[in-house]
Amino acid sequence: MPTWSKYSTLFHSERFGYFLYSTMSNCLIQVDEPHYHFLQQLEMEPSVANNGFDTSFISLLKAKHILVEPGENEKLLMLKQYKKNCNCYGRGDLSLTICPTLACNFDCSYCFEHSQHDKTVMSDETIENLMVFIREKAESGKTSIIWYGGEPTLAFDIVNTITRKILASGVKLENAQLVSNGFLLNNKHLDALDDLKITNIQVTLDGPQEIHDTRRKLLNGKPTYERIISNIDRLMGSSYTGSCDIRVNIDKTNMNAFAPFRNQILKRYEGEKVSVHASKLKTPEPWGLSQSEWTDYCIRLYYEHDITTKSIFYPHSNETGLCVAHYTNMYVCGPYGELYKCWEDVGMPEMTIGNVNQKKTAENPHIQAMYTITTDTYMYEECRECSLLPVCSEICPKTWLEVRKDNSNSIEESCTHYKKHLSQCLEVFYDIYLTSETSKKLLNKPVMPLENRGFRIIANSTGSTPHQSK
Ligand code: SF4
Ligand code: SF4
């Protein structure tokens, strides 16, 4: 006899009606009131599944693992854990974040880097050894690079040299991204971007000029906004074929300025490949936003300003890792050839896991294991009891380790935001769904009204809407 899975959640939205969500199949189903009341009974007493109520609905509940046979959840969890391990521990594609220097021309109030006054740039010997490392690690797939720092435009000749060596070596360089403060971008850089396979430039602006200039100053204290904007103007007026993503680091001091600022920038670059996104700044109290405050903020941005924050409203299956720290074949490489597993560890000697110049002697080899194994939610009893485990995928390993090292009471800070905000986020997702459904109707595309069967699938495992036919 199948039973109600603990990975299933029933909820009622005042605004949108009745829903059933399964974290195991990552499927959102909308139901009418009779189906909702039936589900409430079913949750209490699984034998009502046999009373003849809507057999096609019962079949769907079984197919989506909402009603499960004994042992089914355990098998499914094992499969998910196996897939995650294959994804994270496999050699796969190589992803490298390279800091050609840690030097930076900025002195941002919140910078976490510990070595921005170190003017060292990557030496020729390190570049050669990095090439050996890349050839060895990239043998089975594609390579992608993020140019990071410090400020990578301060060592742009090294970006140039390494890219040309990779292209000449036969390694498949899929694409590259440049993470820059945007201040020094000049015509020489712009002309080279396409040849260097840089398909995206991320530049940070922390809001309108009066806010940005108080937070992101030059080392000599001078403001930076005007020059960055004029460089983005030049970038968008150049022959560069890639995109520019403007990142706005958000804390309590600039959160209210984001929406109007985003509108202003998108208007300025209308028709260009420019996007603007908000990013939660890891700043302690009183100015930093907690995870819960951040989620509330993203929900408000949606309802009040129609801004959809990426990856926050529909869960992802816990079958992949989040970042470089989770994957075996992802590394951050500093200017001395030192290797790290986290962007925030750059410049911290105690966090290096090796060095391309000393291939055989890995320093702190346990750090790689610590980031991947210690943050594996499948290992923990409290996670195995948690109904969100199958979709608990956005955990930053560094935050996890920081929050959990002293068993503090704020342990939920390291949990997925869906732990407190699942139904609120799914409501936003449904609101977005309704907009796309309205467009479909206008274009005479088929949609499945709820009234037809009393239930309909709103999203399947990837958060994408299934093809709906009558
Ligand atoms: S561990 Fe966290 S801070 Fe470090 S790279 Fe990953 S997501 Fe970023
Ligand atoms: S980390 Fe938190 S939300 Fe994620 S599975 Fe564990 S207890 Fe649940």
Side-chain angles (χ1 to χ4, degrees), residues 11-231:
F11 67 97
H12 175 223
S13 151
E14 291 287 329
R15 206 164 151 209
F16 297 122
Y18 303 99
F19 294 89
L20 171 62
Y21 173 66
S22 160
T23 53
M24 189 58 90
S25 59
N26 202 9
C27 177
L28 178 65
I29 301 169
Q30 188 182 21
V31 295
D32 63 8
E33 202 168 342
H35 281 78
Y36 182 74
H37 290 314
F38 171 72
L39 287 167
Q40 283 181 311
Q41 284 177 37
L42 189 64
E43 189 176 5
M44 307 288 286
E45 180 44 66
S47 66
V48 301
N50 299 327
N51 72 1
F53 180 89
D54 194 342
T55 50
S56 66
F57 186 54
I58 298 291
S59 300
L60 177 72
L61 298 182
K62 289 179 182 168
K64 297 298 179 189
H65 313 297
I66 291 155
L67 282 178
V68 287
E69 299 292 342
E72 188 173 328
N73 277 338
E74 290 69 24
K75 279 188 204 156
L76 291 166
L77 274 187
M78 202 179 346
L79 184 61
K80 281 180 186 290
Q81 184 177 8
Y82 172 70
K83 285 185 183 168
K84 182 170 183 171
N85 287 347
C86 290
N87 279 325
C88 291
Y89 301 155
R91 278 290 292 270
D93 297 342
L94 170 65
S95 171
L96 263 183
T97 299
I98 303 177
C99 308
T101 180
L102 297 185
C104 187
N105 50 337
F106 276 34
D107 186 17
C108 301
S109 50
Y110 48 72
C111 184
F112 60 78
E113 287 203 6
H114 312 270
S115 312
Q116 69 264 51
H117 302 300
D118 179 346
K119 305 268 184 293
T120 306
V121 295
M122 202 173 266
S123 68
D124 289 347
E125 186 192 352
T126 298
I127 292 173
E128 285 313 317
N129 286 329
L130 176 60
M131 284 308 303
V132 173
F133 180 82
I134 291 174
R135 278 194 291 268
E136 188 191 308
K137 300 287 181 189
E139 66 187 356
S140 54
K142 301 167 200 144
T143 297
S144 58
I145 293 180
I146 298 174
W147 298 105
Y148 186 60
E151 171 48 42
T153 54
L154 285 171
F156 205 70
D157 51 332
I158 291 170
V159 173
N160 217 325
T161 304
I162 295 175
T163 308
R164 295 196 189 286
K165 281 181 184 282
I166 292 175
L167 293 173
S169 73
V171 166
K172 282 183 235 155
L173 178 59
E174 191 74 349
N175 57 54
Q177 184 192 22
L178 181 71
V179 178
S180 167
N181 57 37
F183 191 83
L184 293 172
L185 276 178
N186 59 29
N187 288 340
K188 195 182 95 194
H189 301 136
L190 305 189
D191 289 346
L193 294 170
D194 281 342
D195 285 347
L196 297 175
K197 297 221 171 202
I198 295 175
T199 54
N200 176 264
I201 300 184
Q202 182 187 286
V203 173
T204 300
L205 284 173
D206 271 358
Q209 184 163 11
E210 62 279 13
I211 294 180
H212 174 94
D213 282 342
T214 59
R215 296 154 60 105
R216 296 185 61 83
K217 297 178 190 167
L218 289 174
L219 285 174
N220 62 13
K222 293 209 166 140
T224 59
Y225 184 90
E226 269 188 17
R227 171 120 167 225
I228 297 171
I229 276 284
S230 86
N231 286 345

Side-chain angles (χ1 to χ4, degrees), residues 377 382-383 386-389 392 395 400 404 414-416 419:
T377 42
E382 73 182 280
C383 294
C386 172
S387 63
L388 287 162
L389 175 59
C392 184
I395 292 175
W400 170 286
R404 298 196 174 220
S414 65
C415 289
T416 167
K419 189 143 185 167

Side-chain angles (χ1 to χ4, degrees), residues 206-345:
D206 271 358
Q209 184 163 11
E210 62 279 13
I211 294 180
H212 174 94
D213 282 342
T214 59
R215 296 154 60 105
R216 296 185 61 83
K217 297 178 190 167
L218 289 174
L219 285 174
N220 62 13
K222 293 209 166 140
T224 59
Y225 184 90
E226 269 188 17
R227 171 120 167 225
I228 297 171
I229 276 284
S230 86
N231 286 345
I232 299 173
D233 287 350
R234 210 142 32 87
L235 174 69
M236 286 300 118
S238 74
S239 58
Y240 173 56
T241 57
S243 58
C244 177
D245 183 25
I246 296 175
R247 168 187 170 125
V248 185
N249 290 322
I250 299 288
D251 60 19
K252 285 178 187 160
T253 64
N254 67 346
M255 60 194 285
N256 293 330
F258 173 72
F261 173 68
R262 179 178 175 273
N263 286 343
Q264 177 199 323
I265 292 288
L266 291 181
K267 200 163 170 209
R268 184 183 186 108
Y269 298 112
E270 204 170 346
E272 309 285 357
K273 288 188 216 165
V274 174
S275 57
V276 184
H277 81 274
S279 179
K280 176 176 171 294
L281 198 54
K282 269 193 184 177
T283 311
E285 288 284 337
W287 306 120
L289 291 157
S290 69
Q291 191 196 57
S292 196
E293 288 169 330
W294 173 251
T295 312
D296 285 336
Y297 174 67
C298 293
I299 291 173
R300 246 189 13 254
L301 280 181
Y302 175 75
Y303 284 123
E304 291 173 13
H305 302 283
D306 205 16
I307 296 172
T308 306
T309 311
K310 212 174 141 201
S311 310
I312 201 129
F313 299 130
Y314 202 86
H316 291 282
S317 176
N318 184 4
E319 289 172 13
T320 54
L322 171 74
C323 71
V324 56
H326 275 133
Y327 289 88
T328 302
N329 218 19
M330 293 190 184
Y331 301 90
V332 181
C333 182
Y336 298 97
E338 75 279 22
L339 297 166
Y340 306 91
K341 286 309 291 179
C342 166
W343 286 30
E344 292 193 11
D345 291 344

